[in-house]
Amino acid sequence: MTQILIIGGSDAGISAALRAREVDETCQITMVMADAYPNYSICGLPYYLSGEVKDWHALAHRTRDEITSQRITLLTDHEATRLDLTERIVDVRDRAGSIQRVAYDQLVIATGAMPRRPAIDGVDQEGVFFLHSMESSFAFQRFLTTQRPRRVAIVGGGYIGLETAEALTHRGLRVTLLQRGASVLSTVDPTLGASIRATLERHRVTVLPEMPVSAIERHGKRFQVRRGANTIADVDAVLVATGVEPNTTLGRVAGLPLGARGAIVVDERMATVNPGVYAAGDCVVTLHRLLQEPTYLPLGTTAHKQGRVAGENAVGGDLRFAGSVGTQVVRVFETVIARTGLLEREALAAGYAPLTIEITTWDHKAYYPGAQEMVIRLTADRETTRVLGAQMLGAVSGGIAKRIDVVAAGLYAGMTAGELNDLDLSYTPPLGSPWDPLQTAAQAWLHERDAGSSSSLTSPAQLPQ
Amino acid sequence: MTQILIIGGSDAGISAALRAREVDETCQITMVMADAYPNYSICGLPYYLSGEVKDWHALAHRTRDEITSQRITLLTDHEATRLDLTERIVDVRDRAGSIQRVAYDQLVIATGAMPRRPAIDGVDQEGVFFLHSMESSFAFQRFLTTQRPRRVAIVGGGYIGLETAEALTHRGLRVTLLQRGASVLSTVDPTLGASIRATLERHRVTVLPEMPVSAIERHGKRFQVRRGANTIADVDAVLVATGVEPNTTLGRVAGLPLGARGAIVVDERMATVNPGVYAAGDCVVTLHRLLQEPTYLPLGTTAHKQGRVAGENAVGGDLRFAGSVGTQVVRVFETVIARTGLLEREALAAGYAPLTIEITTWDHKAYYPGAQEMVIRLTADRETTRVLGAQMLGAVSGGIAKRIDVVAAGLYAGMTAGELNDLDLSYTPPLGSPWDPLQTAAQAWLHERDAGSSSSLTSPAQLPQ
């Protein structure tokens, strides 16, 4: 009977286990994971800290029973310490320190990512938090509850930084957001970053751009966050959210080749170079459909898909990961920001001839109550007119997260701007427009491209309201 | 100088005029229309009746000035009475009855649709209303305001019937909805129809299915709606909403061939058989991408697209209408229902081997407040796994109108169920799930198909929450 061993109990690992079981009734599936929280929604941690999710147990995508009922053996609190690719054995250490040797026929490495620890003096002291695992969120939650800080500095203006800024504000804390670059959320263009910043400031979050942090100094119960000689924030706690890096020690030591950003190299079948060894999720390189090369793009959506592919292939399947187009969305208070595909600078670097336009329009017919403005930036290739990417910003009620998905589907299929304009999209006045905003953007793009280098957009009379 | 004549001032006509001007700065554009309301949103009429749109002027997609500023000559209140294809002349009659002969080089017929008048005794009397034009809505509004009816019967459970049922309920009237078939909104499957009915009934709309109306009898200020000898509703007014038919008298008399449901035959360039004569919108047949044949599908979205194609081609362009996939959405109180592609019975009739599954899931992660249940029905071909259609029902906050658009994009591109599952869709806990509900549906479909004729869906433990 085939022994499937999966290292890691988060999105990719669980997806692999469930898919392996779905395809193969008979294989043995064992999952080892370093903590006690299988299949928890790490993306939900900000909402646990905000108090919107009262009970952390609710963050579990599935209960332990739901997993084990699929005949998946769960070894929680077991850390994989050594991988022997020749003998096909993984050493696993429990909390007590005893080591167990687990043999496998097929292995799925799903060790995920870990927070990047920036070069900041004092980043490792008590009172400075990271947010990545259940345990790290318990520690922060405990601090918030027992120490009752009033002011918190967040280092990093990315997705986690923004979500946590909202969460802590929701909880009544005063937040200062410190970011290295000029614009909040550097994964979208600065015009959208400026809108996000305005949203944050409306909710009394202090945003300090171009503020690289050099040190965090403790003074009694207070922390001074410093940039060189200057104190830029004087707070009761610090949260560092400067991104993640792949957690690949196990694979690297065992000799698996690493690629982009030190992530494990896999092919479209999620197979490593070692026969019978698959890897998936935040610890591996991810194929980008528009770049047609591996990149590092750690996302829960991708981890689920890659895990499913690895799980099916581990039991003899031949599934392929179709690739990512980099779709991401974040809600910051009442504003939703989404992107898919490439930014103009990324498209340029990849050898495309990108042209980007920006439109502002209503998210449904302006005559029906509740219409909100939304912004679309659309990037496509001047020569082929192929769509390369889109960014959108609008209200929660504006369906931004699903509108970006329409572009994501178009990117998957390699559509041109004209084809986006041709799509048969839905319309009813309370929810849309007869020309969907995306199509208004496509028409503006075509108009701009035909106008050559001039900067005139489609004239207002041509744009539907 | 090329003389472009456009007959009709609604979606298709205006789109044609604007596009012609956009492409050709020099042509002369004249638009004749039978009423005084160019470019009004007919889809918005229910919201004018409900009182949500206070001023009917707001229903204009564009003002008259915005249109004429594009150097488009507007002849409102001018009815085209005769078309001479040989002489290239259209006779136009103004309200005073005088007739003007307008010559054209290129003609766009955009005469739209008109309400179907069902074979019901008494359907033509005062107090029985249709809702299709601005003038018909003014008449009904006047009646509502001056006569203050308390009970209204609506004949027809389609989109307009449902929207008007909501609108009149919103206004404080008691509504009885009479429909011929067993299920509300026969353009979606009965399981969804049952949900819509429940929504209507929660708002005290009386729904009477399988209730074909034979007569409307007036008794003083009251109307008895009758089915044979039985009175099925005793009301103060009746609205008939039993669909539309193409308004093609002009083209038919001139000798243009008619196709599906009596609509004018056009090709993908929106050209009729007569050189220089184009037609677009609710008066023409529409190519269906999945049926690959002309059908009759009068929708504002399609009319805009076809008008744009006709307008560009009338000034020498060579644009093609890409075809409809039948995407439609309606909001009924707090519920949104959408469809795209084919229902199972339509797919069968078209020679496909359809399999349909239905799932109920959360519209975002259940742990985050505000998650609502949504239903997806997904139809794909058993043999090719090509997606043929989807239907969705959920809450307004659930983004249903944009979720269906993702499927519409997939249908356009000819995606399979596996490809839907591979799409890189966006995720953040307050707005979605790492496997989007659409992907959960795709997986359930693949599972069901692999299970052959058994009816087991993907087991609950496999479905993400």
Side-chain angles (χ1 to χ4, degrees):
Chain A
M1 196 185 299
T2 315
Q3 308 279 338
I4 312 287
L5 179 61
I6 296 166
I7 306 175
S10 194
D11 298 345
I14 290 281
S15 293
L18 290 172
R19 184 59 182 166
R21 173 57 71 228
E22 194 172 29
V23 175
D24 183 341
E25 282 289 317
T26 65
C27 64
Q28 285 211 339
I29 304 174
T30 303
M31 176 172 275
V32 301
M33 48 185 301
D35 70 13
Y37 310 99
N39 206 201
Y40 271 69
S41 173
I42 297 304
C43 302
L45 294 179
Y47 311 104
Y48 167 56
L49 292 179
S50 73
E52 290 160 288
V53 176
K54 306 289 179 205
D55 179 355
W56 59 264
H57 293 92
L59 293 177
H61 288 303
R62 288 170 192 76
T63 64
R64 182 186 277 259
D65 282 354
E66 283 169 334
I67 298 164
T68 56
S69 74
Q70 300 289 315
R71 290 173 290 120
I72 295 164
T73 304
L74 268 181
L75 295 177
T76 52
D77 287 324
H78 280 68
E79 188 180 1
T81 55
R82 199 180 65 88
L83 162 59
D84 185 332
L85 293 170
T86 313
E87 298 292 324
R88 299 189 164 235
I89 283 191
V90 174
D91 288 355
V92 173
R93 185 175 59 204
D94 67 15
R95 288 248 158 160
S98 46
I99 300 219
Q100 185 179 341
R101 307 192 72 197
V102 184
Y104 65 83
D105 298 315
Q106 304 282 318
L107 180 70
V108 178
I109 301 174
T111 44
M114 53 197 184
R116 200 184 300 146
R117 299 186 98 77
I120 296 174
D121 287 345
V123 80
D124 289 317
Q125 67 192 302
E126 221 178 293
V128 177
F129 295 90
F130 291 80
L131 193 64
H132 186 67
S133 61
M134 292 305 292
E135 272 158 9
S136 66
S137 75
F138 292 151
F140 192 34
Q141 179 76 282
R142 213 156 34 231
F143 183 87
L144 293 171
T145 310
T146 60
Q147 302 300 310
R148 302 195 155 272
R150 292 172 49 206
R151 298 157 305 167
V152 175
I154 297 176
V155 181
Y159 291 94
I160 303 297
L162 294 176
E163 287 172 345
T164 314
E166 175 186 337
L168 297 179
T169 301
H170 186 89
R171 198 179 169 122
L173 280 73
R174 286 301 299 273
V175 175
T176 301
L177 190 69
L178 306 163
Q179 49 171 113
R180 205 169 38 185
S183 181
V184 182
L185 201 64
S186 61
T187 49
V188 297
D189 284 337
T191 56
L192 301 197
S195 278
I196 304 165
R197 180 173 174 177
T199 298
L200 289 164
E201 290 175 341
R202 265 199 305 281
H203 291 272
R204 302 184 68 207
V205 174
T206 303
V207 179
L208 300 180
E210 297 186 270
M211 209 57 88
V213 172
S214 54
I216 301 169
E217 287 178 9
R218 182 165 192 156
H219 298 274
K221 295 190 75 174
R222 295 195 355 254
F223 295 86
Q224 287 187 348
V225 183
R226 302 179 70 87
R227 179 191 184 184
N230 302 319
T231 297
I232 50 180
D234 193 335
V235 293
D236 308 314
V238 179
L239 180 80
V240 179
T242 50
V244 298
E245 55 195 32
N247 181 14
T248 57
T249 312
L250 197 73
R252 179 170 47 78
V253 171
L256 292 176
L258 305 183
R261 300 268 293 280
I264 298 172
V265 171
V266 289
D267 64 16
E268 292 175 22
R269 297 181 69 252
M270 306 314 294
T272 68
V273 297
N274 197 280
V277 179
Y278 299 86
D282 292 359
C283 64
V284 304
V285 298
T286 286
L287 174 73
H288 195 294
R289 281 180 81 89
L290 288 156
L291 301 176
Q292 278 302 312
E293 63 179 36
T295 177
Y296 184 62
L297 252 175
L299 290 166
T301 45
T302 303
H304 276 85
K305 291 189 186 76
Q306 293 178 335
R308 187 171 187 269
V309 170
E312 178 158 338
N313 293 340
V315 293
D318 188 29
L319 203 57
R320 315 263 155 164
F321 173 63
S324 164
V325 293
T327 312
Q328 297 169 52
V329 64
V330 62
R331 196 205 59 183
V332 182
F333 297 102
E334 67 279 8
T335 302
V336 178
I337 310 96
R339 68 165 280 187
T340 188
L342 305 175
L343 302 182
E344 182 155 310
R345 65 167 187 269
E346 295 164 339
L348 264 177
Y352 290 104
L355 168 68
T356 302
I357 59 94
E358 177 174 321
I359 65 160
T360 299
T361 182
W362 297 104
D363 55 15
H364 66 245
K365 286 302 300 175
Y367 61 71
Y368 191 82
Q372 303 277 331
E373 281 193 335
M374 60 175 287
V375 178
I376 301 181
R377 290 180 67 81
L378 183 66
T379 303
D381 187 90
R382 281 180 194 275
E383 282 150 32
T384 62
T385 75
R386 182 181 171 189
V387 178
L388 300 173
Q391 303 163 64
M392 297 185 187
L393 182 146
V396 168
S397 58
I400 301 296
K402 303 304 147 199
R403 292 178 191 271
I404 203 74
D405 286 351
V406 180
V407 187
L411 289 175
Y412 182 100
M415 286 183 192
T416 62
E419 285 172 323
L420 274 196
N421 190 53
D422 284 344
L423 290 179
D424 185 14
L425 305 179
S426 73
Y427 163 55
T428 183
L431 303 171
S433 303
W435 285 117
D436 187 88
L438 185 56
Q439 299 176 311
T440 306
Q443 288 174 32
W445 189 91
L446 289 166
H447 192 269
E448 175 75 3
R449 181 220 186 208
D450 292 344
S453 58
S454 92
S455 68
S456 68
L457 282 189
T458 299
S459 67
Q462 311 261 7
L463 284 178
Q465 289 184 320
Chain B
M1 197 184 299
T2 314
Q3 307 279 338
I4 312 288
L5 178 61
I6 296 167
I7 306 175
S10 194
D11 298 345
I14 291 281
S15 293
L18 290 172
R19 185 59 183 165
R21 173 56 72 228
E22 193 172 31
V23 175
D24 183 342
E25 282 290 316
T26 65
C27 64
Q28 285 210 339
I29 304 175
T30 303
M31 175 173 277
V32 301
M33 48 186 300
D35 69 13
Y37 310 99
N39 206 203
Y40 271 68
S41 173
I42 298 305
C43 301
L45 294 180
Y47 311 103
Y48 166 54
L49 292 179
S50 73
E52 290 160 287
V53 176
K54 306 289 180 208
D55 179 356
W56 60 265
H57 293 92
L59 292 177
H61 287 304
R62 288 170 192 75
T63 64
R64 181 185 277 260
D65 282 353
E66 282 169 335
I67 298 164
T68 55
S69 74
Q70 299 290 315
R71 289 173 291 120
I72 294 164
T73 304
L74 268 181
L75 295 178
T76 52
D77 287 323
H78 280 68
E79 190 179 0
T81 54
R82 198 181 66 90
L83 163 60
D84 185 331
L85 293 169
T86 313
E87 298 293 324
R88 300 188 163 234
I89 284 193
V90 174
D91 289 355
V92 173
R93 184 175 59 204
D94 66 16
R95 288 247 157 161
S98 47
I99 299 221
Q100 183 180 343
R101 306 193 74 198
V102 184
Y104 66 83
D105 297 314
Q106 305 282 318
L107 179 70
V108 178
I109 301 174
T111 44
M114 53 198 183
R116 200 186 302 146
R117 297 186 100 78
I120 296 174
D121 287 344
V123 78
D124 289 317
Q125 67 191 303
E126 221 178 294
V128 177
F129 295 90
F130 290 80
L131 193 64
H132 187 67
S133 60
M134 292 304 294
E135 271 158 10
S136 67
S137 76
F138 292 151
F140 193 33
Q141 179 78 280
R142 213 154 37 229
F143 183 87
L144 293 172
T145 310
T146 59
Q147 303 299 310
R148 300 193 157 274
R150 290 171 52 207
R151 297 157 305 167
V152 175
I154 296 176
V155 182
Y159 290 95
I160 303 296
L162 294 176
E163 287 172 345
T164 314
E166 175 187 336
L168 298 180
T169 301
H170 186 89
R171 200 180 167 120
L173 280 72
R174 286 300 300 272
V175 174
T176 300
L177 189 70
L178 305 165
Q179 50 172 113
R180 205 169 38 184
S183 181
V184 183
L185 200 63
S186 62
T187 49
V188 298
D189 284 337
T191 57
L192 301 196
S195 278
I196 304 166
R197 180 174 173 176
T199 298
L200 289 164
E201 290 175 342
R202 265 199 306 280
H203 291 272
R204 302 183 68 207
V205 173
T206 303
V207 179
L208 300 180
E210 297 186 90
M211 209 57 88
V213 171
S214 54
I216 301 167
E217 287 178 7
R218 183 165 191 155
H219 298 274
K221 296 189 76 175
R222 293 196 355 253
F223 294 87
Q224 287 187 345
V225 183
R226 301 180 69 87
R227 179 192 183 183
N230 300 320
T231 297
I232 51 181
D234 193 334
V235 293
D236 307 313
V238 179
L239 181 80
V240 179
T242 51
V244 297
E245 56 194 31
N247 181 14
T248 56
T249 311
L250 196 74
R252 180 171 47 77
V253 171
L256 292 176
L258 305 182
R261 300 270 292 281
I264 297 172
V265 171
V266 288
D267 63 15
E268 293 175 21
R269 298 180 68 252
M270 306 315 294
T272 68
V273 296
N274 196 281
V277 178
Y278 298 87
D282 291 1
C283 64
V284 304
V285 298
T286 287
L287 174 73
H288 195 294
R289 280 180 82 88
L290 288 157
L291 301 175
Q292 278 302 313
E293 63 178 36
T295 177
Y296 184 61
L297 253 174
L299 290 166
T301 45
T302 303
H304 276 84
K305 291 189 186 75
Q306 293 178 335
R308 187 171 186 270
V309 170
E312 178 159 338
N313 293 340
V315 292
D318 189 28
L319 203 55
R320 316 262 154 163
F321 174 62
S324 164
V325 293
T327 312
Q328 297 169 52
V329 64
V330 62
R331 195 205 58 182
V332 182
F333 297 102
E334 67 279 6
T335 302
V336 178
I337 311 96
R339 69 165 280 187
T340 189
L342 305 175
L343 302 183
E344 183 156 310
R345 64 167 186 269
E346 296 165 338
L348 264 176
Y352 291 105
L355 168 69
T356 302
I357 60 96
E358 176 174 321
I359 65 160
T360 299
T361 182
W362 298 104
D363 55 15
H364 65 244
K365 286 304 298 176
Y367 60 71
Y368 191 83
Q372 304 277 330
E373 281 194 335
M374 60 175 287
V375 179
I376 301 181
R377 291 180 67 80
L378 182 67
T379 302
D381 188 88
R382 280 179 195 275
E383 283 151 32
T384 62
T385 75
R386 181 179 171 189
V387 178
L388 300 174
Q391 303 163 64
M392 297 186 188
L393 183 146
V396 168
S397 58
I400 300 298
K402 303 305 148 197
R403 292 178 190 272
I404 204 73
D405 286 350
V406 180
V407 187
L411 288 175
Y412 182 100
M415 286 184 193
T416 63
E419 286 172 320
L420 274 196
N421 190 51
D422 284 343
L423 291 178
D424 185 13
L425 305 179
S426 73
Y427 164 54
T428 184
L431 302 171
S433 302
W435 285 117
D436 187 89
L438 184 57
Q439 299 176 310
T440 307
Q443 288 174 33
W445 189 91
L446 289 165
H447 192 269
E448 176 75 2
R449 182 222 186 207
D450 292 344
S453 60
S454 92
S455 69
S456 69
L457 283 188
T458 299
S459 67
Q462 310 262 10
L463 284 178
Q465 287 185 319

